[in-house]
Amino acid sequence: MSFLRLEHVHKRFGSTIAVQDFNLEVQMGEFVSLLGPSGCGKTTVLRIIAGFEQPTAGTVHLQDQDITHQPPNRRRMGMVFQHYALFPNMTAADNIGFGLRVTGVRREEIRQRVAALLNLVQMPDLGNRYPHQLSGGQQQRVALARALAIQPQVLLLDEPLSALDAQIRVELRGEIRRIQQQLGITTIYVTHDQEEAFSLSDRIVVMNHGCIEQVGTPFEIYNYPATSFVARFVGAVNQLRCEVLDPHRGQLRCGNQLVTMPGPLALQTGAIATIMIRPEALQLGERGGANRLAGQVCAITFRGPLVRVQLHLDNSESLVVDTLNTRQLQLPQIGDQQLISFAPESVWLVNGGG
Amino acid sequence: MAQVTRRPSAWAWVWLVIWAVFSWLPLVATLDFSLRARKGMLSLKAYQNIFADPGFYNSLAFSFQMALLTIVISIFLVVPTAYWVHLRLRRARPLVEFVTLLPFVVPAVVIAFGLIRWYCCPPFAFVSSPLLLVAGYVVLSLPYMYRAADTGLRAIDVCTLTEAAQSLGASNLQTFFLVILPNLRASILSGAFLTFAIVMGEFTLSSLLAWPAFGPYMQYVGVFKAYESAALAIISFALTWLVMLLMLWLVRGWAAARAVTAPR
Ligand SMILES: Nc1ncnc2c1ncn2[C@@H]1O[C@H](COP(=O)(O)OP(=O)(O)O)[C@@H](O)[C@H]1O
Ligand SMILES: [Mg+2]
């Protein structure tokens, strides 16, 4: 039985369709990310779960209870906003205690719980500061503690790190995951940053234009993308147009070169298909894997741990290869002819067919 | 910001002098005039006369009460309305702003006669109640109070703060009184001060509705007693400043109370 369940949720704003037929089941204690480009409807889904928006159609269930029309202040869902949204007239401690205060918890108990939460977010001595006396990262920690104070059934976070510096972002990301696992709290996390989604989530929901493109573990999303959109959104990917030679044995022709992939393919001989390969699945030179392609090196880019080599194939398509940056690495020169190799298993067809 | 210290140019001095003359000369002249109630010497006679007149205290007390009532009512009417407009009726904002500016367009005389005509006879026979006067004052103070609340609301993220409070379980009232209102204190105070100043000096409404307010009293003194009227102008000027200082002190007090609890 799922803990939180969204069924056929639609949302339109006037003529804009923000969310379309959204279905999702979240287990208790699970960390689920909504990932997608800006404007794809992530925030809207989160706000529907929180109760700030009513879906145009569809239902939201929490523990098998229909909460679609329950007002937000009865849902016990902690929310963390992109720009912290701390109450400027209250200290950090009063912010954290606010949810307890409005529900009539005794003063002494509030004080204790607030102290424990300040410890949890590693700010034991800053409870008396006002929001304007705290850095962005500290403010977001307070916001997190405030959302956790009400012991929410679900924790909702809307791009909580996107207003912070890169370094703080990575640090706080780790903290969020640590706290989430420590408390075993069911969490929905909205982000447009695939790295964030990968490093935090048990499962990722990739969205585009208000629709779900794919739901899966980070491993599934990255290695078995269901659509070309997902493949491109969660990492770099090479796309090559090929002609099917033998659908049973998975043989295709790319320009004048042969590419093999796992068969059988649901395509006719002679059909045109687009195949995809991740750059890190390609290797420079004649290495493992049955596939070989030759091309001319046209660019080499250093990206820290990786080096990206770009090649032109003979049919004017281009291909990038990511290779691990090591001291022993022998790089080709620009203009060189270069052979690359890859395994048939690393190749897949766009949208399962094309 | 980098501070550039350099000598003020001659023009700066010229403007300063013009400003000083423009704003202070009438006051100085009034003060001087008010001290010449006795021929050929400076004296406080005009002030003594004013302070000896029970009409002064009565009208001052009456207007003071009306001002306080007006402030309370207009805060209770305007602030929640402005909040609601910010939160739910963003598109109606220009309309609401236009409505709140109407008292600038409609002359007070028109408002007064409107009130009299509408409320003169049953079922709305309120002409003899001071509440009608307060209602008129609330209308007159609308532009100031609304502007002040609006400015305060623009300075905070009303929608997100409201949602944050709601997600933590706060009711609408709790959200308004614990989260929104405390952040509007300074701007509400400035609106209250403007309202106070308007009510204390208001003449048309109170005189047409026949109330012994401070405005008609000043007018009455002005017509019959020249020196006393100058003294009265100085007194009301001083009173205004006193109230302003009081309010500044209140705001400072809040700020200080915050600062005391802030660092450990
Ligand atoms: N209150 C609203 N009124 C009108 N359109 C809205 C509103 N909120 C969101 N939208 C529209 O719905 C779409 C999805 O928005 P949103 O959920 O905020 O996307 P995301 O969070 O993924 O960037 C966008 O096209 C946006 O313009
Ligand atoms: Mg968003």
Side-chain angles (χ1 to χ4, degrees):
Chain A
M1 188 194 85
S2 58
F3 186 66
L4 176 69
R5 191 168 80 242
L6 283 84
E7 278 173 346
H8 305 294
V9 168
H10 292 256
K11 179 70 188 179
R12 24 185 348 151
F13 294 103
S15 60
T16 320
I17 298 173
V19 177
Q20 217 171 350
D21 198 26
F22 192 98
N23 293 282
L24 180 67
E25 299 203 355
V26 180
Q27 304 304 317
M28 197 166 190
E30 202 179 10
F31 195 120
V32 173
S33 290
L34 307 183
L35 175 67
S38 168
C40 73
K42 310 178 293 289
T43 298
T44 306
V45 171
L46 202 72
R47 291 170 57 81
I48 287 172
I49 298 174
F52 298 135
E53 303 282 2
Q54 290 285 306
T56 316
T59 57
V60 183
H61 283 80
L62 185 69
Q63 289 188 308
D64 269 345
Q65 193 196 341
D66 188 342
I67 58 162
T68 317
H69 303 291
Q70 201 176 48
N73 53 6
R74 302 246 196 84
R75 294 196 182 192
R76 271 194 44 223
M77 295 203 180
M79 179 111 177
V80 177
F81 300 84
Q82 182 174 359
H83 296 287
Y84 330 131
L86 294 180
F87 307 129
N89 57 311
M90 296 180 205
T91 61
D94 288 345
N95 264 284
I96 297 172
F98 181 84
L100 303 173
R101 182 173 153 208
V102 294
T103 47
V105 177
R106 278 182 306 110
R107 232 158 213 262
E108 184 52 26
E109 193 183 335
I110 294 181
R111 211 185 51 74
Q112 283 169 9
R113 299 239 311 253
V114 167
L117 283 159
L118 280 167
N119 272 324
L120 185 71
V121 296
Q122 310 197 332
M123 294 178 53
D125 300 322
L126 300 179
N128 281 331
R129 295 259 185 102
Y130 280 89
H132 69 93
Q133 297 168 318
L134 297 170
S135 71
Q138 289 170 330
Q139 289 189 51
Q140 200 56 299
R141 281 166 194 265
V142 173
L144 181 63
R146 180 178 71 174
L148 291 170
I150 58 168
Q151 296 179 323
Q153 315 218 53
V154 182
L155 179 64
L156 306 171
L157 302 103
D158 191 356
E159 314 219 5
L161 305 180
S162 56
L164 302 170
D165 301 342
Q167 201 186 336
I168 310 272
R169 205 150 63 205
V170 173
E171 191 184 307
L172 204 51
R173 184 167 94 190
E175 293 264 309
I176 288 176
R177 183 58 164 161
R178 172 182 68 79
I179 291 170
Q180 186 266 336
Q181 294 197 317
Q182 190 178 329
L183 303 178
I185 189 168
T186 313
T187 304
I188 314 283
Y189 188 100
V190 163
T191 180
H192 64 262
D193 181 337
Q194 37 105 0
E195 195 189 319
E196 228 167 82
F198 282 140
S199 63
L200 283 167
S201 320
D202 296 318
R203 277 193 305 154
I204 297 175
V205 179
V206 184
M207 293 179 66
N208 190 25
H209 294 309
C211 299
I212 293 184
E213 293 269 330
Q214 186 176 4
V215 181
T217 64
F219 184 86
E220 288 164 354
I221 297 284
Y222 190 80
N223 293 308
Y224 297 91
T227 64
S228 63
F229 171 81
V230 175
R232 276 180 279 117
F233 192 75
V234 300
V237 68
N238 291 298
Q239 301 190 50
L240 297 176
R241 285 177 67 74
C242 299
E243 187 192 331
V244 178
L245 292 182
D246 183 346
H248 294 289
R249 283 157 56 198
Q251 288 188 334
L252 306 106
R253 192 166 60 88
C254 179
N256 293 322
Q257 312 191 64
L258 194 72
V259 173
T260 312
M261 63 180 290
L265 309 174
L267 290 169
Q268 305 282 315
T269 304
I272 301 295
T274 305
I275 58 166
M276 290 190 156
I277 323 161
R278 295 255 182 237
E280 66 273 18
L282 302 176
Q283 290 191 300
L284 291 175
E286 217 162 332
R287 303 275 180 85
N291 283 314
R292 303 275 183 276
L293 285 176
Q296 192 179 29
V297 176
C298 62
I300 298 176
T301 327
F302 274 92
R303 341 181 100 207
L306 294 177
V307 182
R308 177 163 288 184
V309 178
Q310 192 176 354
L311 301 113
H312 277 310
L313 302 185
D314 57 4
N315 60 348
S316 82
E317 295 215 60
S318 84
L319 204 62
V320 294
V321 181
D322 280 348
T323 173
L324 221 49
N325 195 358
T326 62
R327 291 191 175 193
Q328 291 77 35
L329 185 66
Q330 288 187 344
L331 283 172
Q333 301 287 312
I334 289 178
D336 282 359
Q337 277 299 121
Q338 175 73 42
L339 206 62
I340 55 169
S341 35
F342 53 97
E345 291 73 31
S346 59
V347 181
W348 74 89
L349 276 175
V350 168
N351 292 350
Chain B
M1 262 209 305
Q3 284 253 327
V4 184
T5 47
R6 52 171 188 192
R7 269 194 194 175
S9 71
W11 276 112
W13 285 111
V14 170
W15 286 123
L16 199 67
V17 168
I18 291 177
W19 172 79
V21 167
F22 184 80
S23 57
W24 290 94
L25 200 60
L27 202 65
V28 172
T30 309
L31 180 65
D32 178 70
F33 184 70
S34 73
L35 296 172
R36 293 184 188 280
R38 288 223 166 94
K39 258 210 175 81
M41 61 184 288
L42 293 177
S43 77
L44 291 173
K45 178 151 187 299
Y47 291 86
Q48 283 160 355
N49 289 346
I50 289 286
F51 287 130
D53 179 5
F56 168 73
Y57 298 103
N58 290 340
S59 63
L60 195 65
F62 178 82
S63 281
F64 194 79
Q65 285 168 23
M66 293 300 110
L68 288 188
L69 259 177
T70 306
I71 287 170
V72 170
I73 291 175
S74 110
I75 287 177
F76 267 83
L77 275 181
V78 172
V79 179
T81 309
Y83 170 51
W84 196 249
V85 169
H86 265 260
L87 194 62
R88 289 287 141 79
L89 300 172
R90 296 202 148 245
R91 258 179 281 163
R93 225 149 79 170
L95 182 71
V96 175
E97 273 171 24
F98 173 73
V99 169
T100 61
L101 286 179
L102 278 180
F104 283 156
V105 185
V106 182
V109 182
V110 175
I111 295 178
F113 279 112
L115 287 173
I116 292 169
R117 268 203 65 101
W118 188 250
Y119 294 108
C120 65
C121 349
F124 306 114
F126 300 131
V127 183
S128 54
S129 160
L131 281 183
L132 189 61
L133 181 64
V134 171
Y137 285 162
V138 168
V139 171
L140 288 187
S141 73
L142 203 57
Y144 305 97
M145 211 35 136
Y146 183 80
R147 287 284 128 164
D150 190 58
T151 311
L153 286 164
R154 274 170 207 266
I156 56 175
D157 186 349
V158 177
C159 291
T160 316
L161 288 183
T162 302
E163 286 178 356
Q166 305 252 292
S167 74
L168 294 166
S171 66
N172 288 339
L173 279 182
Q174 283 172 325
T175 305
F176 180 71
F177 282 104
L178 299 177
V179 175
I180 301 299
L181 205 56
N183 288 303
L184 301 181
R185 275 196 297 218
S187 38
I188 290 176
L189 203 65
S190 78
F193 174 72
L194 285 171
T195 304
F196 182 83
I198 287 168
V199 172
M200 289 309 283
E202 204 283 330
F203 171 73
T204 319
L205 269 184
S206 48
S207 115
L208 286 176
L209 291 171
W211 288 103
F214 193 60
Y217 176 75
M218 281 203 288
Q219 146 80 10
Y220 162 80
V221 172
V223 170
F224 296 106
K225 304 168 181 175
Y227 298 106
E228 281 77 0
S229 127
L232 198 56
I234 296 294
I235 291 170
S236 67
F237 188 80
L239 273 177
T240 312
W241 272 92
L242 208 71
V243 173
M244 195 136 89
L245 283 178
L246 191 77
M247 295 199 164
L248 270 180
W249 175 73
L250 270 178
V251 173
R252 281 272 193 80
W254 285 331
R258 262 182 165 197
V260 168
T261 52
R264 234 184 217 186

